[in-house]
């Protein structure tokens, strides 16, 4: 059934009434063709904010197999036999390998080097076969592939190296003669046909030891050694990013802060530490990746710097601040360890910028880059949820960095959310400490992005600048890209405050996904741009140098009261609920349930294990997430909800929902969320959740809590054990029509950027404020059904370019439904 305009407007926070009101405000015209729904007025005589060349960039984190099996072009998985249960409970040192004959992974003094702990002992007449990533090793007919291996065979052996799939040979086999101690051996294959399911086999005539078994495509991005997968790197380069933030993310501030050495018992679950990742690849450390797999560090700091340089982007590394985040939330109090990490950070700056004669500049030069990388910005920490502990350590990092490198911009952060106690405390400390820049992160619903275009309008123009280091609207459909585009017009309008911004995450291998949404998707044979990518590319390639002030009329928004049923839920926790009562504003009872008999009034979602136990409604599955059960009428409004809730066991607390329309649209009070560290009010719209308010705090196991929620119109007040916990009013309009105008200093173009995030086209009167302009505009349009999603085989969200020939000082342009449109207009 075709989606109606009215339904689409509702999903974006508007109503059919709103559209009728907008129409009613326009006087009846003499001629239908003169009707305009909106008006944009530009003021070219006034200067807006300057936009830096580095305004938009990319954030790379090794999540979703973004590095090994992704951007890093290595085709062999677990090439040095270092996989471990420390990485993933299902791993062994032979994960992704199949042995024929005798093959054993050994950790003893015969190893290749101290930091490469494991090696393979292969018996005479035995072989091992590697399955690569995804469906296998991808090779293309006529392309060359470089094999290498470190091997040891005291009595001598011949290695036969073959590339095959189920159908047969993919390249002529190569033989390598091995004799004596550890040495590196090489061979080259030319693929005789294309396959996505290749397997690499190494067979040995006599006993031999193997390590660092590698196969690289000869053709990498810019044909760099130890290089990057060409199609993925080219997609990133096509964005023309102003910066590259790396290496994380949660990789930076989780796990042990110890080094990889005998003293730490070769600690595997460590924070990402740059010195582990430079030098010869066979001597680099290995580590357990926070996202549940192994990271080889073949793609390390040198490669990040080199890639940034290759694509003309500013490198922006992030180092650990010795306060863990991402649910771990622990401050390290070891003063010696803190000093070591501060010194490592100073050494990193020397590695990037020092002369080739300096200690760490010499390491960079030996790796092939005698010239400096021109590092100017560095981030300390990532999403720490302990703002006071973090800031105390951040100040020590900053003091040391500024003393030796006063021109480096040192970036702090504001925790994992866009608002709440942690956010407010962190910002207060950052302001008082006069930091250079603060890194904000948030992932919210599409509606949130439409509602918060003005987020930075009220920020202190004299305070710390903002680096929006991670953001996304919780989806890869076109509606997500649309709402992000609307939000980005607000970023540009506030370019004097928001100096850097990067969507996150960047990459996702479709067979190894830990996080959605993501900007670029891929498998072992192809890659494709998400709708979000197309928005980012359009903005990055048409930034401009300065904002030209402009205004637009808005869409009147008429909102009724919050309506909906009620719900109970848990998240990785067992909880018991009792004495549920919903009372209307006039005192009449809408629902009353003490669970003395059954739970027939409640509808389950099918998740979790709910049952009546001792007169309570209990959910017992401590692994299940969002186990919501609901009761009542979606049309309920102006009511009081009372619930008695008790946590029985598990990681978190409990969730009480109100305003429940369906499984994807509701509010809930999340008490003891985020590993029982904070509570928040979250709103779900079409399945995507945004946080409306948050406070630190935890829920005690075994204690019964009285929860009361009072809903009046769009005002909600919350009580915990009879005390007011907080209140909010959800009445911010989700404006679907947004614009910003910038000027390109090089070409003189005015760039009019308009987002129409609704299912009706928007006829718009554009007044250029007396600017003398050419009669034509170059137009780039992104438009699609709001639910459209780009895939490997279908890309409905694709830019279309055209020419508009009706430009004058005042002209009318009709912006398509669900569209992002950029008009580049030359000034005379």
């Amino acid at each position: 059934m075709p989606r109606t305009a009215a339904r689409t407007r509702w999903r974006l926070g508007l109503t059919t009434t709103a559209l009728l009101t907008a129409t009613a405000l326009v006087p009846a015209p003499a001629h239908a063709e003169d009707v305009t729904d909106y008006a944009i007025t530009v003021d070219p005589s006034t200067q807006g904010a300057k936009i830096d060349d580095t305004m938009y960039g990319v954030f790379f984190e090794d999540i979703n197999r973004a590095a090994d099996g992704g951007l890093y072009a290595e085709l062999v998985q677990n090439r040095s036999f270092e996989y471990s249960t420390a990485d993933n409970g299902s791993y062994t040192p032979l994960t992704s390998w199949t042995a024929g004959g005798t093959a054993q992974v050994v950790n003893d003094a015969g190893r290749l080097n101290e930091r490469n702990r494991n090696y393979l002992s292969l018996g005479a007449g035995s072989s091992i076969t590697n399955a690569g990533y995804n469906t296998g090793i991808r090779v293309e007919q006529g392309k060359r592939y470089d094999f290498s291996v470190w091997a040891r065979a005291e009595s001598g052996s011949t290695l036969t190296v073959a590339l095959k799939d189920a159908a047969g040979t993919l390249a002529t086999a190569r033989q390598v003669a091995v004799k004596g101690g550890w040495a590196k051996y090489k061979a080259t294959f030319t693929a005789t046909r294309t396959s996505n399911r290749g397997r690499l086999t190494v067979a040995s005539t006599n006993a031999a030891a193997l390590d660092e078994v590698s196969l690289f495509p000869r053709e990498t991005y810019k044909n760099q050694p130890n290089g990057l997968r060409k199609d993925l790197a080219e997609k990133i380069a096509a964005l023309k990013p102003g910066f590259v933030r790396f290496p994380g993310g949660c990789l930076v501030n989780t796990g042990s802060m110890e080094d990889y050495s005998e003293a730490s018992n070769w600690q595997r679950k460590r924070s990402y530490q740059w010195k582990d990742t430079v030098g010869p690849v066979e001597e680099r450390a290995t580590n357990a990746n926070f996202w549940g797999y192994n990271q080889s560090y073949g793609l390390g700091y040198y490669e990040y710097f080199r890639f940034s340089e290759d694509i003309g982007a500013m490198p922006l590394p992030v180092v650990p601040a010795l306060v863990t985040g991402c649910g771990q939330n622990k401050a390290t109090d070891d003063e010696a360890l803190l000093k070591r990490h501060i010194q490592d950070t100073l050494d990193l700056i020397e590695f990037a910028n020092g002369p080739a004669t300096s200690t760490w500049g010499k390491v960079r030069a030996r790796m092939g880059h005698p010239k400096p990388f021109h590092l100017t910005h560095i981030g300390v920490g990532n999403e720490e949820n302990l703002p006071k502990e973090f800031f105390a350590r951040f100040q020590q990092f900053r003091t040391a960095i500024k003393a030796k490198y006063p021109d480096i911009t040192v970036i702090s952060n504001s925790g994992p959310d866009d608002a709440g106690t942690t956010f407010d405390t962190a910002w207060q400390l950052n302001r008082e400490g006069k930091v250079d820049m603060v890194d904000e992160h948030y992932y919210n619903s599409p509606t949130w992005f439409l509602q918060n275009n003005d987020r930075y309008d009220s920020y202190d123009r004299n305070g710390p600048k903002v680096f929006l280091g991670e953001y996304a609207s919780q989806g890869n459909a076109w509606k997500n890209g649309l709402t992000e585009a609307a939000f980005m017009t607000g970023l540009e309008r506030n370019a004097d405050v928001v100096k850097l911004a990067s969507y996150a995450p960047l990459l996702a291998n479709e067979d190894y996904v830990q996080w959605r949404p993501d900007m670029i998707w891929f498998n072992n044979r192809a890659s494709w741009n998400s709708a979000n990518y197309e928005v980012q590319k359009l903005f990055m390639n048409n930034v401009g140098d300065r904002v030209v002030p402009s205004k637009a009329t808005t869409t009147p928004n008429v909102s009724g009261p919050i309506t909906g049923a009620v719900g109970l839920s848990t998240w990785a926790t067992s909880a018991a609920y009792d004495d549920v009562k919903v009372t209307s504003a006039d005192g009449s009872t809408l629902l009353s349930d003490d669970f003395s008999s059954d739970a027939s009034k409640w509808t389950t979602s099918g998740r979790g294990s709910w049952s009546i136990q001792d007169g309570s409604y209990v959910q017992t599955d401590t692994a299940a997430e969002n186990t919501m059960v609901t009761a009542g009428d979606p049309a309920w409004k102006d009511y009081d909800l009372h619930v008695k809730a008790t946590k029985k066991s598990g990681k978190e607390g409990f969730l009480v929902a109100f305003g429940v329309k369906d499984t994807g649209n509701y509010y809930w009070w999340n008490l003891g969320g985020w590993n029982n560290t904070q509570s928040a009010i979250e709103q779900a719209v079409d399945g995507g959740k945004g946080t409306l308010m948050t406070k630190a705090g935890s829920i005690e196991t075994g204690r019964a809590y009285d929860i009361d929620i009072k809903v009046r119109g769009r005002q909600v007040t919350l009580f915990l054990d009879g005390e007011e916990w907080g209140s909010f009013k959800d009445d911010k309009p989700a404006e679907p029509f947004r614009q910003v105008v910038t000027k390109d200093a090089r070409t003189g173009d005015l760039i009019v950027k308009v987002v129409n995030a609704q299912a009706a086209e928007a006829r718009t009167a554009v007044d250029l404020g007396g600017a003398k302009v050419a009669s034509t505009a170059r137009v780039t349009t992104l438009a699609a059904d709001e639910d459209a999603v780009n895939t490997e085989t279908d890309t409905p969200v694709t830019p279309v370019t055209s020419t508009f020939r009706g430009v004058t000082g005042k002209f009318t342009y009709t912006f398509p439904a669900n569209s992002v449109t950029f008009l580049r207009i030359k000034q005379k």
Side-chain angles (χ1 to χ4, degrees):
M1 179 182 294
R3 177 167 289 103
T4 65
R7 179 168 180 262
T8 302
R9 288 188 196 95
W10 173 80
R11 292 180 68 175
L12 294 176
L14 300 172
T15 64
T16 306
T17 306
L19 185 70
L20 294 173
T21 304
T23 305
L25 293 174
V26 180
H31 303 286
E33 61 269 20
D34 295 331
V35 173
T36 56
D37 301 315
Y38 296 92
I40 295 174
T41 305
V42 183
D43 183 6
S45 64
T46 304
Q47 278 198 344
K50 181 182 181 296
I51 307 174
D52 295 342
D53 292 340
T54 52
M55 174 73 182
Y56 295 121
V58 295
F59 162 50
F60 182 91
E61 179 177 8
D62 188 359
I63 186 173
N64 310 314
R65 285 282 188 190
D68 297 330
L71 185 61
Y72 187 49
E74 174 65 77
L75 296 172
V76 175
Q77 184 175 175
N78 189 17
R79 67 183 178 187
S80 58
F81 311 101
E82 297 290 339
Y83 276 28
S84 163
T85 53
D87 311 324
N88 186 296
S90 67
Y91 281 1
T92 75
L94 281 174
T95 292
S96 82
W97 293 98
T98 302
T102 304
Q104 182 181 3
V105 175
V106 181
N107 179 347
D108 64 15
R111 64 179 65 88
L112 178 60
N113 59 66
E114 280 297 290
R115 291 167 72 77
N116 195 330
R117 306 293 294 167
N118 291 348
Y119 66 94
L120 183 77
S121 175
L122 193 62
S126 299
S127 66
I128 51 163
T129 298
N130 191 265
Y133 298 92
N134 300 94
T135 57
I137 292 173
R138 161 77 174 183
V139 296
E140 294 182 55
Q141 184 176 359
K143 297 287 182 71
R144 291 193 292 175
Y145 297 85
D146 293 324
F147 167 83
S148 65
V149 63
W150 283 83
R152 170 168 56 81
E154 303 300 339
S155 301
S157 181
T158 298
L159 302 181
T160 299
V161 188
L163 267 173
K164 298 179 179 180
D165 64 8
T169 300
L170 293 171
T172 302
R174 295 287 184 257
Q175 292 191 330
V176 177
V178 176
K179 187 170 179 61
W182 286 109
K184 188 175 184 178
Y185 299 89
K186 300 179 180 180
T188 297
F189 294 95
T190 300
T192 54
R193 58 186 177 86
T194 296
S195 176
N196 304 320
R197 302 178 183 276
R199 300 290 188 268
L200 176 74
T201 298
V202 181
S204 182
T205 56
N206 298 318
L210 307 180
D211 207 342
E212 287 289 314
V213 183
S214 173
L215 186 69
F216 262 86
R218 175 70 59 86
E219 186 179 13
T220 59
Y221 184 65
K222 292 190 178 292
N223 295 319
Q224 294 274 18
N226 195 47
L228 306 182
R229 179 170 150 173
K230 190 169 183 285
D231 63 325
L232 294 178
E234 286 177 343
K235 279 179 163 49
I236 299 169
L239 292 167
K240 300 181 182 176
F243 64 88
V244 178
R245 174 177 172 245
F246 60 87
C250 288
L251 304 186
V252 167
N253 68 336
T254 53
S256 165
M257 300 294 167
E258 300 288 346
D259 62 2
Y260 190 58
S261 67
E262 186 176 6
S264 72
N265 195 29
W266 305 104
Q267 177 63 245
R268 286 293 294 262
K269 292 188 174 183
R270 310 181 312 283
S271 63
Y272 196 110
Q273 299 172 46
W274 78 272
K275 288 181 180 178
D276 287 343
T277 76
V278 297
V281 291
E282 69 274 6
E283 295 177 10
R284 298 183 189 180
T286 190
N287 201 8
N289 181 294
F290 174 81
W291 298 107
Y293 51 91
N294 176 272
Q295 48 190 351
S296 72
Y297 289 148
L299 173 56
Y301 257 71
Y302 176 77
E303 289 75 27
Y304 287 129
F305 277 120
R306 190 181 65 193
F307 180 53
S308 300
E309 182 179 72
D310 284 345
I311 63 177
M314 175 182 80
L316 204 167
V318 182
V319 298
L322 274 74
V323 178
T324 56
C326 302
Q328 296 183 358
N329 302 334
K330 181 181 178 181
T332 300
D333 293 321
D334 186 329
E335 194 64 27
L337 191 57
L338 175 62
K339 288 181 178 178
R340 192 267 287 176
H341 276 267
I342 291 172
Q343 184 59 51
D344 282 356
T345 303
L346 297 175
D347 292 344
L348 170 61
I349 298 171
E350 183 176 281
F351 175 80
N353 293 351
T357 54
S358 64
T359 300
W360 287 100
K362 191 178 297 181
V363 173
R364 182 194 68 237
R366 281 200 301 265
M367 294 183 73
H369 202 286
K371 293 182 179 180
F373 282 118
H374 307 295
L375 175 67
T376 59
H377 291 63
I378 192 164
V380 176
N382 171 77
E383 293 189 10
E384 283 73 21
N385 215 14
L386 300 172
K388 292 180 181 178
E389 292 86 343
F390 160 74
F391 197 73
R393 290 155 182 78
F394 169 84
Q395 286 181 301
Q396 294 187 59
F397 276 86
R398 181 177 62 167
T399 297
I401 294 168
K402 289 292 189 181
K404 191 168 184 180
Y405 301 104
D407 294 332
I408 295 288
T409 296
V410 185
I411 302 171
S412 179
N413 75 82
S414 59
D417 300 303
D418 62 274
T421 305
T422 296
F423 179 86
D424 293 339
T425 302
W427 258 106
Q428 180 182 352
L429 293 168
N430 286 317
R431 279 192 298 269
E432 292 172 351
K434 300 185 185 303
V435 304
D436 296 327
M437 188 175 287
V438 178
D439 187 1
E440 291 190 355
H441 296 178
Y442 38 82
Y443 299 89
N444 287 316
S445 69
T447 296
W448 186 95
F449 282 92
L450 289 181
Q451 290 174 324
N452 285 276
N453 178 273
D454 63 349
R455 176 179 175 86
Y456 297 105
D457 290 1
S458 59
Y459 270 49
D460 182 0
R461 294 359 239 183
N462 298 312
K465 302 304 180 185
V466 172
F467 171 23
L468 181 48
E470 297 183 34
Y471 72 99
S473 71
Q474 298 176 333
N476 280 141
W478 177 228
K479 65 184 175 187
N480 300 101
L482 272 173
T483 59
E484 289 157 5
F487 187 73
M488 292 171 77
T489 65
L491 300 183
E492 290 194 5
R493 188 177 63 252
N494 289 286
D496 57 326
V497 169
V498 183
K499 308 304 288 184
L500 307 168
S502 50
Y503 178 99
L506 179 61
L507 294 172
N509 185 321
E510 68 172 352
D511 292 332
Y512 308 91
V513 179
Q514 293 87 42
W515 185 277
R516 299 172 187 265
D518 305 286
M519 197 195 296
I520 300 170
W521 289 78
F522 65 93
N523 50 38
N524 64 348
R525 62 188 178 273
S527 56
W528 56 97
N529 305 332
S530 68
N532 318 68
Y533 173 98
E534 296 298 350
V535 165
Q536 294 292 323
K537 183 179 179 182
L538 186 57
F539 274 84
M540 287 193 207
N541 283 235
N542 296 276
V543 181
D545 301 280
R546 188 173 289 278
V547 175
V548 181
S550 62
K551 294 181 179 180
T553 53
T554 60
T555 306
N557 188 67
V558 180
S559 296
I562 291 175
T563 60
V566 298
L568 310 171
S569 188
T570 60
W571 197 288
T573 303
S574 172
Y577 295 93
D578 203 355
D579 297 336
V580 178
K581 189 170 185 178
V582 181
T583 308
S584 69
D586 64 9
S588 60
T589 299
L590 301 175
L591 172 70
S592 181
D593 200 340
D594 63 3
F595 303 107
S596 57
S597 56
D598 59 29
S600 58
K601 298 175 183 178
W602 297 84
T603 301
T604 66
S605 62
R607 294 185 292 271
S609 180
W610 289 90
S611 62
I612 300 293
Q613 296 182 18
D614 300 324
S616 296
Y617 201 18
V618 183
Q619 198 291 115
T620 56
D621 187 342
T622 56
E625 298 178 346
N626 191 5
T627 63
M628 194 187 307
V629 295
T630 59
D633 188 339
W636 279 352
K637 63 180 180 179
D638 295 338
Y639 57 77
D640 296 322
L641 166 62
H642 172 80
V643 181
K644 188 178 289 290
T646 305
K647 173 182 176 178
K648 296 176 74 67
S649 63
K651 296 180 180 179
E652 307 211 342
F654 32 75
L655 304 112
V656 178
F658 56 98
V660 180
K661 296 182 184 299
D662 52 45
T663 56
N665 295 275
Y666 53 85
Y667 301 82
W668 68 20
W669 190 358
N670 185 348
L671 289 136
W674 295 271
N675 285 325
N676 205 13
T677 60
Q678 58 183 305
S679 298
I681 301 300
E682 297 179 278
Q683 181 185 16
V685 179
D686 290 347
K689 288 198 295 290
T691 302
L692 302 181
M693 61 183 300
T694 181
K695 289 185 179 182
S698 59
I699 293 298
E700 298 175 27
T701 301
R703 174 183 165 187
Y705 290 83
D706 282 307
I707 298 165
D708 290 278
I709 301 171
K710 180 179 181 179
V711 181
R712 293 294 184 272
R714 302 200 70 79
Q715 179 76 41
V716 179
T717 308
L718 306 114
F719 301 86
L720 186 62
D721 286 338
E723 298 291 329
E724 184 173 329
W725 181 86
S727 64
F728 69 93
K729 191 173 185 179
D730 183 25
D731 61 351
K732 200 168 188 180
E735 172 59 59
F737 188 84
R738 298 291 188 184
Q739 100 298 331
V740 70
V741 180
T742 64
K743 181 179 179 180
D744 186 325
R746 184 180 63 83
T747 63
D749 290 356
L750 288 176
I751 312 172
V752 180
K753 311 173 187 183
V754 177
V755 180
N756 181 30
Q758 58 190 329
E761 62 185 19
R763 291 168 295 175
T764 306
V766 181
D767 183 346
L768 296 178
K772 297 186 182 299
V773 294
S775 61
T776 61
R778 286 186 292 126
V779 183
T780 305
T781 305
L782 291 168
D785 180 86
E786 64 166 3
D787 292 324
V789 176
N790 285 354
T791 67
E792 179 182 354
T793 57
D794 184 30
T795 53
V797 183
T798 301
V800 175
T801 57
S802 61
T803 301
F804 175 65
R805 303 187 183 281
V807 179
T808 60
K810 295 181 179 180
F811 65 96
T812 299
Y813 190 92
T814 298
F815 295 97
N818 296 324
S819 68
V820 180
T821 306
F822 280 28
L823 294 90
R824 292 193 70 116
I825 304 170
K826 285 200 173 296
Q827 294 190 91
K828 292 182 178 177

